[in-house]
């Protein structure tokens, strides 16, 4: 009788050990699943060319807004509202690309000489050719066929519409040819508005020359053609 009780006890202990092993395995599986579902690491402009391009686009638009606020005119409020909508869309693209939403950067052109702040602010009229002429003091005098904006990277303004460009160097109506040396694709566009950089391409123009998945052209040749 005593021997039967001993055997029964051993079986119960074996079952408890087995259950504990299964439970432990389940806990391990749950922990592994939990770790696997953690939020992906957010990339910064320094970690990704895509993120850098989007951060530059946001920074250029913010620079334009700051210029309009510093030197407002009758059209500044409308221009600022338009660029704020563009920035909101860029933030959506940053988040979708795994980048830090709202991160801002300036391209290399920001360190180069530009038109006086007063002229750039007054030249903000997207359709006012007289005012826009003041914005082109630093580069508008370049001869047709001359290479301009040397050393400047090219990114997008985030604006929609037909292929076009914006610039703080050239007046509305100027035609610029942008060539991406990494894929030898080119586009010729007309400057239609003012921006915070030598040349920004709107979405349609940028799509014509960019490499798939990239929002920044590091090696670009920009020529004034008209």
């Amino acid at each position: 009788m005593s021997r039967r009780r001993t055997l029964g006890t051993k079986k119960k202990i074996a079952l408890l050990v087995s259950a504990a092993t299964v439970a432990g395995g389940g806990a391990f599986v749950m922990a592994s699943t939990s770790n696997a579902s953690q939020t992906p690491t957010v990339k910064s402009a320094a970690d990704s060319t895509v993120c850098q391009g989007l951060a530059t686009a946001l920074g250029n638009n913010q620079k334009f807004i700051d210029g309009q606020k510093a030197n407002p005119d009758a059209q500044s409020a409308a221009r600022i509202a338009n660029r704020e909508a563009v920035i909101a869309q860029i933030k959506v693209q940053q988040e979708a690309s795994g980048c830090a939403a709202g991160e801002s950067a300036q391209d290399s052109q920001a360190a180069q000489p530009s038109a006086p702040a007063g002229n750039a602010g007054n030249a903000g009229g997207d359709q006012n050719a007289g005012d826009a002429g003041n914005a082109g003091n630093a580069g508008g005098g370049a001869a047709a066929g001359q290479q301009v904006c040397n050393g400047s990277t090219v990114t997008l303004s985030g604006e929609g519409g037909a292929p076009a460009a914006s610039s703080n160097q050239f007046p509305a109506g100027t035609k610029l040819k942008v060539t991406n040396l990494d894929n030898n694709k080119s586009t010729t566009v007309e400057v239609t508005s003012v921006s915070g950089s030598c040349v920004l391409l709107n979405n349609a123009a940028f799509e014509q020359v960019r490499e798939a998945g990239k929002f920044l052209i590091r090696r670009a040749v920009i020529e004034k053609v008209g």
Side-chain angles (χ1 to χ4, degrees), residues 105 109 156:
Q109 186 63 27
L156 72 168

Side-chain angles (χ1 to χ4, degrees), residues 2 8 18 23 29 32 40 65 94 102 104 107 116 120 138 142 175 188 194 199 202:
S2 175
S18 177
V29 171
S32 298
I65 290 174
Q94 285 177 319
S104 174
D107 67 11
K175 290 186 178 180
T188 299
V194 180
V199 58
N202 72 351

Side-chain angles (χ1 to χ4, degrees), residues 40-45 47-48 50-51 54 91-101 103:
T41 302
V42 176
K43 293 174 287 187
S44 70
D47 301 324
S48 163
V50 170
C51 296
L54 290 171
K91 288 179 180 180
V92 171
Q93 289 179 283
Q94 285 177 319
E95 191 170 355
S97 301
C99 308
E103 184 177 14

